[in-house]
Amino acid sequence: MGQTLIIPYDYAGWFEVIPSDFSRATCYTSIDAVAQAMPASFFTRSNLKGIRVEGEDDHQKYLERKIAAGSVLKTNGTFKAKWKTRAQTGLFKKKTKEWDMEEVTYLKCIDHDSLEILVPITHKGKFNAIYEKGKLTPNAVYSMKNILDDLSLPVMVRLLFGKAPVVPCIFTGTLILRETAVDDAIIGSSILNQRNVLFEIPLNAPVKVKYTSSDEHFAETDSYRDAKKLCRKYSDLFSTMIKLSAQADSSQKVIQHVPTDPSLMRDVDEALRALDLITDISLTSEPKDHLLDPSDSSSQGSYDQQNPIPKEAVLEAQRDSDYKSREFQTHV
């Protein structure tokens, strides 16, 4: 209903393929399941807590690291550590007593900053393998490049993470990808408007343009300078966002983002506000990526997961060839 969505080849988002029975696609429900499958990299739809190792030798520290939902992590094997947990005894004179030994297995991950993060395999949540070319991995998520290069259209998908388009109705993220096309387009910015707005015009669009002989009449205006800044800063980002086509899919009349029918708007100000819906980019606010997974909203907004380091714990022993230099007690 409404306009067709145009999704660029290099759109920076992740999709799951919807099964033929229209059920939810499957995913891993624990880090342990990810560790057993050991994909090259995985996408986390839940917030996590891990450990980041800092420093060397006697100055080494194990610090907590939050991993936000929507992150992509590379896998790098597993790591086991034994922790001594401590309890204080005595009513007036506190004494520390070691009373338990706990072994924790971690999945070694590399984040987008190329830093190693240790995530306990006991963490629960939703996780997906990143699709690898030529491998039909279960529980995989796909980029738009993966879908267009390796899957047959039409295909039904659900957008899990990315910049959602601004549409006249509720955007559910469930889409049917029908066909591909290659078009050249020009990206520009409005000038004489209440707010500068980026837009895209295909070169084959049935429009006529008239060049100005000189820009001296408005070159020094704030709106002209802001339009140039907006194009320089965000034109590349804007080119990778989901757009609305100029054509409607149905005969039902819908309010277009570019209002051409004055009867739909009460005055010029409302028309300009509707024009602003073309994009949510401005010089002070750029569009953000969102996790479109309402079924897992509880884990998106909270990091109330199991602590990656047992409370009041001392690192007693480690079992991994990459960590031989770290076999000493580290207080956390």
Side-chain angles (χ1 to χ4, degrees):
M1 186 72 71
Q3 294 101 317
T4 295
L5 294 177
I6 301 174
I7 308 176
Y9 179 78
D10 53 354
Y11 173 73
W14 296 105
F15 300 83
E16 65 179 10
V17 175
I18 299 176
S20 57
D21 60 357
F22 301 101
S23 61
R24 295 290 302 197
T26 59
C27 64
Y28 302 115
T29 56
S30 68
I31 291 296
D32 186 28
V34 177
Q36 291 181 33
M38 200 61 73
S41 55
F42 68 97
F43 171 74
T44 174
R45 294 154 65 174
S46 304
N47 290 327
L48 294 173
K49 282 183 181 180
I51 301 174
R52 185 181 72 238
V53 182
E54 284 191 353
E56 296 291 340
D57 301 329
D58 294 340
H59 301 288
Q60 195 173 74
K61 295 180 180 179
Y62 286 71
L63 305 176
E64 244 182 34
R65 172 74 180 268
K66 291 183 177 180
I67 304 168
S71 300
V72 174
L73 301 173
K74 295 180 181 178
T75 58
N76 192 29
T78 57
F79 165 64
K80 292 184 179 180
K82 288 186 177 180
W83 299 88
K84 279 186 177 180
T85 55
R86 301 181 298 176
Q88 288 186 335
T89 59
L91 184 61
F92 297 104
K93 188 176 181 180
K94 297 293 183 180
K95 296 182 180 180
T96 299
K97 178 182 178 182
E98 296 179 355
W99 57 277
D100 195 15
M101 182 76 75
E102 182 178 348
E103 183 177 84
V104 180
T105 302
Y106 298 89
L107 177 64
K108 294 195 294 183
C109 305
I110 307 297
D111 67 5
H112 66 281
D113 294 323
S114 298
L115 298 175
E116 188 172 76
I117 308 295
L118 305 177
V119 182
I121 66 170
T122 53
H123 269 358
K124 305 294 183 182
K126 287 186 175 182
F127 314 98
N128 290 90
I130 301 297
Y131 169 78
E132 297 180 63
K133 187 174 180 63
K135 297 182 180 180
L136 295 177
T137 309
N139 308 322
V141 292
Y142 302 78
S143 67
M144 185 52 56
K145 292 180 181 180
N146 298 148
I147 294 172
L148 297 182
D149 288 344
D150 295 354
L151 301 184
S152 299
L153 302 184
V155 61
M156 185 176 291
V157 300
R158 182 178 289 109
L159 177 63
L160 293 178
F161 181 78
K163 294 178 177 64
V166 180
V167 297
C169 56
I170 296 174
F171 178 71
T172 64
T174 301
L175 308 164
I176 296 179
L177 306 182
R178 293 177 179 165
E179 60 183 357
T180 61
V182 178
D183 287 317
D184 292 323
I186 292 175
I187 294 175
S189 172
S190 63
I191 298 176
L192 303 178
N193 195 2
Q194 288 186 339
R195 181 171 75 92
N196 298 105
V197 175
L198 289 176
F199 57 85
E200 184 177 88
I201 302 178
L203 292 187
N204 58 1
V207 298
K208 293 182 179 181
V209 297
K210 181 179 180 180
Y211 289 97
T212 58
S213 58
S214 173
D215 63 357
E216 62 183 10
H217 298 294
F218 48 83
E220 298 303 320
T221 63
D222 290 339
S223 62
Y224 181 72
R225 287 194 291 261
D226 287 347
K228 294 180 68 175
K229 290 178 184 178
L230 195 64
C231 287
R232 285 196 298 266
K233 187 174 182 181
Y234 291 124
S235 59
D236 288 340
L237 173 64
F238 183 70
S239 69
T240 64
M241 293 175 60
I242 300 176
K243 315 292 193 312
L244 292 174
S245 75
Q247 301 296 325
D249 287 337
S250 68
S251 58
Q252 179 176 342
K253 188 174 183 180
V254 295
I255 298 178
Q256 304 287 327
H257 280 287
V258 182
T260 56
D261 186 351
S263 65
L264 297 176
M265 298 297 171
R266 285 179 294 180
D267 51 42
V268 175
D269 288 339
E270 283 197 21
L272 291 174
R273 280 195 290 270
L275 182 62
D276 285 344
L277 292 177
I278 294 175
T279 175
D280 55 356
I281 298 179
S282 69
L283 289 173
T284 57
S285 177
E286 63 183 67
K288 297 180 180 180
D289 293 306
H290 295 284
L291 191 68
L292 282 77
D293 190 6
S295 63
D296 202 32
S297 58
S298 60
S299 65
Q300 294 173 32
S302 172
Y303 286 93
D304 294 333
Q305 296 265 7
Q306 171 185 323
N307 290 326
I309 303 174
K311 292 183 178 181
E312 300 294 328
V314 176
L315 183 63
E316 173 67 15
Q318 306 168 100
R319 288 162 47 193
D320 190 288
S321 58
D322 294 339
Y323 287 77
K324 290 298 182 184
S325 63
R326 302 174 185 172
E327 291 183 353
F328 55 86
Q329 290 191 0
T330 302
H331 294 268
V332 178

